[in-house]
Amino acid sequence: MINENKIQTRPDWDEDFLDIAKSVGRRATCLRRRYGAIIVKDKIIISTGYNGSPRGEANCIDTGICERERLKVPKGERYELCVAVHAEQNAIINADPVKMEGSTIYIAGFNVADNSIASGEPCKLCRRMIKNARISKVVYQNADGKLIKADSSSLT
């Protein structure tokens, strides 16, 4: 029997897909930040990715070593020291190029140290890959938890 006095609310699509991206990010292998990304077209998930070492290589969580952490490198700098492939990159690598055209990528992340939200704004290299994959929109949370929606053409 349904209780008519209780109204059930559902998350909107952006919230729902960001939650799924967060869940995918739980598989990430970075010792600093864990990110998940999903590519969606017509409300259907066409690909997922999380940040971690290339297939077949040792992950930071397995070795216990993060070179950027050891050197206290700030976020957004010296990516060449990191062994990981970004979540967005893995989602793009795993997707069908035809299906990505006109799609939306959702990116979610958190800081391992305190489980706080990490900004999902894509780095410059990922921005170029997103544009090149012909993904139309990017949706992520900034570090304050605010939902950001951007056209990929506006990413610089």
Side-chain angles (χ1 to χ4, degrees):
M1 186 173 242
I2 298 174
N3 181 350
E4 294 179 23
N5 295 329
K6 199 173 202 178
I7 297 173
Q8 181 180 0
T9 59
R10 293 171 39 178
D12 69 21
W13 285 106
D14 289 333
E15 287 178 88
D16 199 31
F17 288 131
L18 272 177
D19 283 344
I20 295 168
K22 288 175 192 174
S23 182
V24 170
R26 293 186 0 225
R27 294 280 310 149
T29 62
C30 179
L31 293 169
R32 293 177 94 177
R33 291 179 190 84
R34 300 216 172 124
Y35 285 96
I38 64 170
I39 300 173
V40 176
K41 187 170 184 180
D42 300 325
K43 296 184 176 71
I44 297 169
I45 297 170
I46 60 173
S47 184
T48 67
Y50 55 85
N51 57 317
S53 297
R55 290 178 180 98
E57 293 188 18
N59 291 297
C60 295
I61 61 170
D62 298 326
T63 64
I65 300 167
C66 172
E67 191 63 17
R68 292 179 70 230
E69 186 69 20
R70 187 182 71 75
L71 296 173
K72 308 271 188 262
V73 176
K75 181 182 185 327
E77 296 179 19
R78 306 286 317 269
Y79 285 121
E80 74 277 7
L81 297 173
C82 181
V83 299
V85 178
H86 290 187
E88 305 95 313
Q89 295 167 346
N90 274 321
I92 291 167
I93 290 165
N94 293 326
D96 178 337
V98 174
K99 291 181 180 178
M100 280 190 288
E101 184 175 354
S103 65
T104 301
I105 189 165
Y106 292 84
I107 308 159
F110 66 92
N111 295 300
V112 173
D114 61 4
N115 211 29
S116 63
I117 296 170
S119 175
E121 183 177 9
C123 73
K124 290 184 181 204
L125 178 58
C126 288
R127 291 174 196 177
R128 289 192 294 261
M129 291 182 72
I130 288 166
K131 287 179 183 180
N132 203 46
R134 300 168 78 184
I135 295 170
S136 296
K137 293 187 176 32
V138 179
V139 179
Y140 63 91
Q141 284 181 306
N142 67 13
D144 295 327
K146 180 181 176 192
L147 187 73
I148 307 294
K149 300 177 189 182
D151 288 329
S152 63
S153 61
S154 69
L155 299 175
T156 55

